[in-house]
Amino acid sequence: MKRIIGKGMLLLLTMFLPAMLLTGCGEGEGLRDGYYTAQASDYNYGWKEYITIMVKGGGIVSVEYNAENASGFIKSWDNAYMQTMLHSNGTYPNEYTRYYAGQLLENQGEGKIDGITGATSSHNSFEKLAAAVLEQARKGDSGIVYVNTGH
């Protein structure tokens, strides 16, 4: 009968297999694959903000940050709101939502999210929502988590 595993291969298996098994045992370590959503618990000026992330291979591959009104209309699509906010604050939802989401994607939930002047309230909400959605991803809990963003 032929030997399938040589002595060298057997030695490698006995050394590395236990380490590989233990690596997967750490609860709460890293992000688990799936979709995760954190949503503001209350409306603020008629809008309820949310973040949805997709995790694949243990890393964030997409981030959506936005707000919706009671009828489900998305804030970034509201051209009248955009014009008003741009003229009064120097920014608008379609700009800052992409910027904040891009930073979360780029730094994979590690590090600080830089704010944009004129969107401070949304920045504060984003940080709270991001912390909550990342915690959900660490747990592997795909239920929506509701966050008091407390403006």
Side-chain angles (χ1 to χ4, degrees), residues 1-10 13:
M1 184 179 259
K2 277 186 165 180
R3 186 187 312 184
I4 296 176
I5 299 178
K7 288 181 185 179
M9 182 60 114
L10 187 57
L13 282 174

Side-chain angles (χ1 to χ4, degrees), residues 55-123:
V55 177
K56 188 171 183 180
I60 301 169
V61 296
S62 71
V63 178
E64 179 185 1
Y65 169 53
N66 223 309
E68 63 184 9
N69 64 18
S71 67
F73 189 72
I74 302 298
K75 191 175 192 177
S76 293
W77 301 346
D78 189 333
N79 285 326
Y81 188 92
M82 178 192 76
Q83 291 298 322
T84 301
M85 188 171 176
L86 178 61
H87 294 298
S88 65
N89 294 37
T91 189
Y92 53 94
N94 203 23
E95 178 180 49
Y96 69 76
T97 57
R98 289 180 188 204
Y99 180 74
Y100 295 153
Q103 285 188 70
L104 183 62
L105 179 62
E106 184 179 319
N107 69 25
Q108 293 293 298
E110 303 292 327
K112 187 176 183 272
I113 303 294
D114 294 328
I116 291 181
T117 301
T120 304
S121 178
S122 292
H123 177 261

Side-chain angles (χ1 to χ4, degrees), residues 18-29 32:
M20 289 173 21
L21 291 173
L22 287 175
T23 302
C25 291
E27 280 299 311
E29 304 249 343
R32 297 188 183 180

